[in-house]
Amino acid sequence: MAEHGSAPAARRVNVSFSPPTPNGDLHLGHLAGPVLASDVCARSQKILGNDVVYACSTDDNQTYVVTTAQRLGTTPEALIQEALDSVTASLDLAGVDVDLFERPDEQYTAFVRDFFTHLWKHGAFDRREVELPYDAETGEYRAEAFVTGRCPVCLAHARAGVCEACGLYNLPGALLPGDTATALPTRPVSIWVLDLERHRSLLSNWYRTSDVPLRPDLRGVVERTLAARMPYIPITYPGTWGIPVDWDGPDALPQTINAWPEIYVGHLYWPQQVRARGRAGCDEFVQFIGIDNGFYNAFVYPALKLLAAQYGRSVELPRTRTLTNQYYLLEGRKFSTSKGDVLWARDYLEKAGRDRARFVLSLTSPELQQSEFTEQVAESTLRTRFDAPLDTIAQALGEKLAGRSVDAPPSQWWATAIEASQRRFAAAYDLDGFSIRKAAEALALHLEVLALKAGQISTEDSGDVSGALLFLWTLRTLAWPVTPDLAEAVARAFGSGPVGVPLLSDAAVPPAGPFRTLDR
């Protein structure tokens, strides 16, 4: 860790999370996965002194919007607006401090259409005849959310696109029939596709020259995909939902851009809207996703980015990290808005409280493997690892150290403890090994140590007093990414008001005022 005054030069970092499909509010799976992780990451990069832009949007053009609206008996537009309002309120309640969270508008739509049309004109896509399920009653081809069946790779129940179980891609006509929608007869239709095999050397070189570590689940997707013939990915589908293109002429069957490749262009567009306000472009892009989005992030988005640069499109090529998570389970089932298997984030936040929810969801986040969530276990964890130690700290320090200041060097014991805790937090916040589980564990251990030592402080020993107070004070910075309300309470305990982002380089710089009391 850099000493005070010797921090490395600030980097420009863009952070985002999978744009939520506006077919409902955020559930706990969203919050414990990419949403909370991206917020903790953005905050942690800020305390390192970096220039951070944290932006996202809703994913309006997904076919899940249409299928959910049909199921609920409403219109897609009404569903989108209701979901936007709900998700925005939930983000605020959770303390997710985004710079921008919008829904696609006319300017965005034009930007996306122009991006894909530019690549199409330069020959990046191939026109191909494919077999798609066809509904003769409506005269419509079916794809993505309209098509379900069994994954031909792992046999899990899947929708067309990427299998949520194994993370690999499947075309709508490739699913093993499992219900009426998938059992529809197929009909050939011409669409535009991104043939990843044609661009194998581009993608292989991308991974060969990258030194960015991948989490095991995403590394598995990459290795399995590169080991076989790579698939082609629809860039357009026949239909009217989404962003239309007329590449085949005005008399051809209507085609719209596949919403999954579209997400990459959103990663370009939304941070630009923030950085265009007088801020330079980014050095590093950190994207948090569920593993079900892993294939697109691992192959489709790099291909689009590299092809855009090759064909003269002005795009940034920052160092890119894709941090995946597995799934929260509810009674053994993946959280799913479209299937109704959910605990709503807002309900839990209102019941548990913002910091308590952020702490326990971080501590149990399914970063590397699936984890079961139950409110009973969560509440027990909160009582023993968050509430009880904080109550002990507040009571013991309030009784012993009210009015005392950090006016001497900390004793050796406290100096060692402060350094050790800072190292743990720094390791959790470092992008190469970033982990909200590790950050929450570092916080839990910091509280545990302080609670154990609080009753043993010698008020006659200025080094012991100063060390205990300084150990508490460092949480103003160290805890801010995970539990911002606790960080603010620590600042208030020493008479400090909100002064912006606390810097990690200043974490162990003593507070100016005396300790008052820690509000609980």
Side-chain angles (χ1 to χ4, degrees):
M1 178 177 297
E3 297 297 328
H4 178 50
S6 61
R11 292 180 58 77
R12 299 182 298 273
V13 181
N14 288 353
V15 179
S16 190
F17 56 90
S18 301
T21 303
N23 60 346
D25 202 349
L26 294 177
H27 57 60
L28 281 191
H30 294 133
L31 187 57
V35 176
L36 184 55
S38 61
D39 181 65
V40 173
C41 179
R43 288 172 178 270
S44 68
Q45 290 301 297
K46 288 178 182 178
I47 70 173
L48 290 171
N50 290 327
D51 173 13
V52 179
V53 165
Y54 182 28
C56 193
S57 73
T58 52
D59 193 11
D60 291 12
N61 296 316
Q62 288 287 353
T63 50
Y64 289 90
V65 174
V66 181
T67 57
T68 302
Q70 290 175 348
R71 177 168 55 84
L72 296 178
T74 186
T75 65
E77 176 60 31
L79 179 63
I80 290 170
Q81 189 56 54
E82 180 183 355
L84 175 66
D85 294 342
S86 297
V87 171
T88 300
S90 293
L91 292 175
D92 182 65
L93 188 62
V96 175
D97 192 19
V98 287
D99 297 301
L100 178 150
F101 183 74
E102 300 286 352
R103 61 169 296 190
D105 53 18
E106 291 182 7
Q107 290 76 23
Y108 167 83
T109 298
F111 184 88
V112 171
R113 186 185 292 113
D114 182 63
F115 177 91
F116 283 100
T117 299
H118 180 88
L119 293 188
W120 168 75
K121 286 180 177 178
H122 284 80
F125 309 136
D126 299 303
R127 196 166 188 265
R128 187 162 301 184
E129 189 173 86
V130 301
E131 295 281 337
L132 290 181
Y134 181 76
D135 188 336
E137 287 189 16
T138 63
E140 296 176 329
Y141 289 91
R142 297 299 190 185
E144 301 293 333
F146 288 101
V147 183
T148 61
R150 292 287 169 174
C151 172
V153 177
C154 72
L155 298 183
H157 181 271
R159 287 182 170 82
V162 170
C163 174
E164 294 182 351
C166 68
L168 297 180
Y169 187 81
N170 59 76
L171 284 165
L175 287 175
L176 300 177
D179 56 30
T180 304
T182 313
L184 287 170
T186 62
R187 178 179 289 192
V189 61
S190 291
I191 62 173
W192 289 92
V193 304
L194 173 65
D195 187 345
L196 293 174
E197 185 65 29
R198 177 156 77 93
H199 305 297
R200 174 181 283 273
S201 61
L202 198 69
L203 292 163
S204 296
N205 187 60
W206 166 262
Y207 280 108
R208 186 166 53 250
T209 58
S210 174
D211 62 349
V212 176
L214 301 177
R215 286 182 172 172
D217 47 11
L218 187 59
R219 187 170 63 247
V221 169
V222 170
E223 290 172 350
R224 292 197 301 273
T225 301
L226 288 175
R229 180 177 180 83
M230 294 203 288
Y232 61 84
I233 306 301
I235 293 296
T236 65
Y237 275 122
T240 57
W241 182 255
I243 298 175
V245 290
D246 59 356
W247 300 343
D248 298 323
D251 298 327
L253 189 69
Q255 301 255 345
T256 58
I257 296 170
N258 182 355
W260 290 101
E262 176 200 327
I263 290 173
Y264 164 69
V265 189
H267 293 335
L268 294 177
Y269 182 83
W270 297 112
Q272 279 183 12
Q273 304 314 296
V274 181
R275 290 202 176 272
R277 305 165 193 167
R279 297 166 70 175
C282 76
D283 305 306
E284 190 147 4
F285 174 59
V286 190
Q287 166 71 4
F288 288 83
I289 62 170
I291 188 55
D292 52 335
N293 295 329
F295 175 84
Y296 292 103
N297 281 266
F299 289 100
V300 179
Y301 301 167
L304 291 173
K305 171 169 56 180
L306 296 171
L307 288 168
Q310 178 177 309
Y311 294 132
R313 182 83 183 188
S314 179
V315 296
E316 293 181 334
L317 296 172
R319 181 182 174 89
T320 300
R321 297 177 187 272
T322 300
L323 298 183
T324 53
N325 63 264
Q326 282 289 337
Y327 307 123
Y328 245 170
L329 301 179
L330 180 65
E331 296 180 359
R333 302 184 306 276
K334 172 184 175 290
F335 278 68
S336 172
T337 302
S338 60
K339 296 178 183 177
D341 293 333
V342 293
L343 285 176
W344 297 111
R346 193 185 313 186
D347 291 343
Y348 185 68
L349 285 160
E350 290 174 345
K351 182 183 300 184
R354 178 163 63 187
D355 261 17
R356 296 175 82 246
R358 288 175 65 102
F359 172 80
V360 76
L361 295 179
S362 295
L363 193 63
T364 60
S365 174
E367 287 181 324
L368 302 180
Q369 61 186 26
Q370 295 178 350
S371 59
E372 183 85 24
F373 178 86
T374 68
E375 289 192 66
Q376 295 87 347
V377 172
E379 188 60 29
S380 175
T381 301
L382 282 166
R383 283 197 306 268
T384 57
R385 306 210 68 190
F386 192 74
D387 299 336
L390 273 175
D391 288 341
T392 298
I393 292 164
Q395 181 177 349
L397 297 191
E399 291 174 353
K400 286 191 165 194
L401 302 184
R404 300 293 295 269
S405 299
V406 179
D407 53 12
S411 67
Q412 186 58 53
W413 195 98
W414 285 111
T416 300
I418 290 168
E419 183 179 350
S421 192
Q422 285 183 290
R423 279 199 307 269
R424 286 187 68 100
F425 277 100
Y429 294 148
D430 181 79
L431 289 178
D432 277 343
F434 179 83
S435 169
I436 59 172
R437 289 187 72 133
K438 290 180 180 178
E441 182 65 27
L443 175 56
L445 287 172
H446 197 106
L447 297 177
E448 178 183 318
V449 166
L450 187 53
L452 287 172
K453 290 286 289 183
Q456 305 168 16
I457 297 169
S458 171
T459 58
E460 305 301 318
D461 184 340
S462 60
D464 200 24
V465 170
S466 293
L469 292 177
L470 191 58
F471 194 72
L472 173 64
W473 171 249
T474 60
L475 286 181
R476 170 180 173 270
T477 302
L478 301 178
W480 186 74
V482 179
T483 50
D485 293 340
L486 173 60
E488 185 176 325
V490 170
R492 287 196 309 270
F494 290 89
S496 297
V499 290
V501 178
L503 295 177
L504 192 59
S505 57
D506 296 333
V509 175
F515 175 70
R516 300 176 180 180
T517 185
L518 181 64
D519 297 329
R520 281 292 294 129

